[in-house]
Amino acid sequence: MTATQVQVRAPGKINLALHVGPPRSDGYHPLATLFQAVSLYEDVLARPADEITLELRGRGTDLPTDAGNLAVRAAALLRETGGVDRGVHLTVTKQVPVAGGMAGGSADAAATLLACDQLWGTGLSREELAELAAELGADVPFALTGMSAMGVGRGDLLTPVMSRGTYHWVLAVQDEGLSTPHVFRTFDALAGHTVPSAAGPGSDVAGPGGAGDLAGPGGAGPRVDPGLLAALLSADPLVLAKHLSNDLQEAALDLRPELGDVLAAADRAGALAAVVSGSGPTVAALALDGPHAVSVAGVMRAAEVATEVLTVTGPVPGARVLEHVQGRR
């Protein structure tokens, strides 16, 4: 008996806080962030095939389906690591906005790692999958773990964070995404940072970070406000609302001034607080509870400041198997 079909679901994320340090000598930015996984998902269906192929459904059907796609790279990395000589056909159904600061591509990669591990029987532990995830991108390890976690370095060095209660969010989604490297370049320009001329490809974004980037006692890098960690333990959205922050928000607003209208609409709608998620342009507005989220979403839709307005909850679990079908081959 062997697996003939595996379906895995992985969540998108929002950043409750995102703090960015100046570029280091290698051009990379140390980060400190607080992730929360939310109930907007990417589904990956994996079936046996001779080669690695990809089919996209839902959002982002114009995205590349070759090695330029993170899901394809995830499958190739696992195949090489596990010494597998088979392929896989991946069907990815996307709900997370593309280039929206919610790590949809990272969720695809995380779900693909888990789905192919099950399909091929490579038998890797979650810790081993997380190591591969970190090779693929800074946000991929969190899509595996989900819930709430603090990330430092590139955001891939994760520490689970205790969180009580369920938080209700209204997401204002735009049809045109923002380039993460472009946002980081604008962040540096606005802050007056000098990016080293020797910085290599990819240095526009957060780069490798070690323990020195975690600003504990005596640490010099950015850090997550302890008040935010306490707020998550309180299970009180009114407390959490006081601690939402994003160092990249000014850069996102500089590139897309209309996001200011989105934040203003959230305020008029009665949201407890609103923040640009990650590098944007998705805006996450915090509500008191489910009915309040529906009310805030209705007002924001009427304001016509976003292509789409969604309601989600968090935190939710990371990548998990929904279906594992076995049969004889």
Side-chain angles (χ1 to χ4, degrees):
M1 300 291 288
T2 185
T4 59
Q5 180 171 297
V6 179
Q7 184 176 3
V8 173
R9 171 169 289 177
K13 60 82 180 170
I14 57 176
N15 298 81
L16 307 187
L18 176 57
H19 302 297
V20 183
R24 305 180 316 184
S25 59
D26 57 6
Y28 288 96
H29 298 77
L31 301 182
T33 188
L34 201 296
F35 295 113
Q36 185 169 101
V38 296
S39 58
L40 198 61
Y41 300 101
E42 305 282 272
D43 284 353
V44 173
L45 181 65
R47 295 189 179 98
D50 294 330
E51 303 294 336
I52 297 174
T53 56
L54 173 64
E55 174 188 357
L56 295 171
R57 297 178 180 176
R59 302 180 190 271
T61 53
D62 57 343
L63 292 172
T65 57
D66 56 11
N69 191 290
L70 203 55
V72 173
R73 296 209 297 273
L77 178 61
L78 181 64
R79 182 167 68 171
E80 178 183 0
T81 302
V84 175
D85 59 1
R86 288 171 284 160
V88 62
H89 179 72
L90 302 168
T91 302
V92 177
T93 302
K94 299 181 65 63
Q95 293 185 15
V96 178
V98 176
M102 294 188 65
S106 296
D108 294 342
T112 296
L113 286 175
L114 182 55
C116 289
D117 175 68
Q118 296 281 313
L119 185 74
W120 293 332
T122 49
L124 297 186
S125 67
R126 278 281 179 147
E127 291 74 18
E128 290 170 319
L129 289 175
E131 290 178 6
L132 295 182
E135 293 185 36
L136 292 164
D139 291 336
V140 183
F142 177 69
L144 275 175
T145 62
M147 302 305 289
S148 299
M150 181 169 61
V152 297
R154 294 185 303 148
D156 60 329
L157 304 177
L158 297 176
T159 302
V161 170
M162 288 290 294
S163 178
R164 294 193 178 101
T166 297
Y167 297 92
H168 296 262
W169 300 93
V170 177
L171 303 179
V173 177
Q174 308 297 333
D175 59 359
E176 181 182 353
L178 269 173
S179 161
T180 297
H182 199 180
V183 173
F184 271 91
R185 284 195 293 269
T186 304
F187 167 79
D188 285 331
L190 292 174
H193 294 155
T194 300
V195 179
S197 58
S203 59
D204 301 309
V205 297
D213 290 324
L214 173 55
R223 65 179 300 158
V224 171
D225 178 7
L228 174 57
L229 305 180
L232 285 171
L233 283 174
S234 75
D236 187 344
L238 290 168
V239 177
L240 180 61
K242 300 175 183 178
H243 296 280
L244 302 184
S245 62
N246 182 357
D247 288 354
L248 295 181
Q249 181 162 299
E250 184 181 0
L253 286 167
D254 185 79
L255 291 168
R256 299 279 287 278
E258 63 271 22
L259 293 180
D261 297 333
V262 183
L263 294 167
D267 184 61
R268 291 195 305 271
L272 304 182
V275 66
V276 173
S277 178
S279 57
T282 301
V283 169
L286 180 60
L288 188 62
D289 52 25
H292 185 221
V294 172
S295 173
V296 170
V299 174
M300 293 185 70
R301 288 190 190 99
E304 298 183 345
V305 292
T307 305
E308 190 175 4
V309 178
L310 308 169
T311 57
V312 299
T313 59
V316 300
R320 63 193 190 278
V321 177
L322 297 183
E323 182 183 44
H324 187 136
V325 178
Q326 289 187 313
R328 296 189 182 278
R329 290 190 67 195

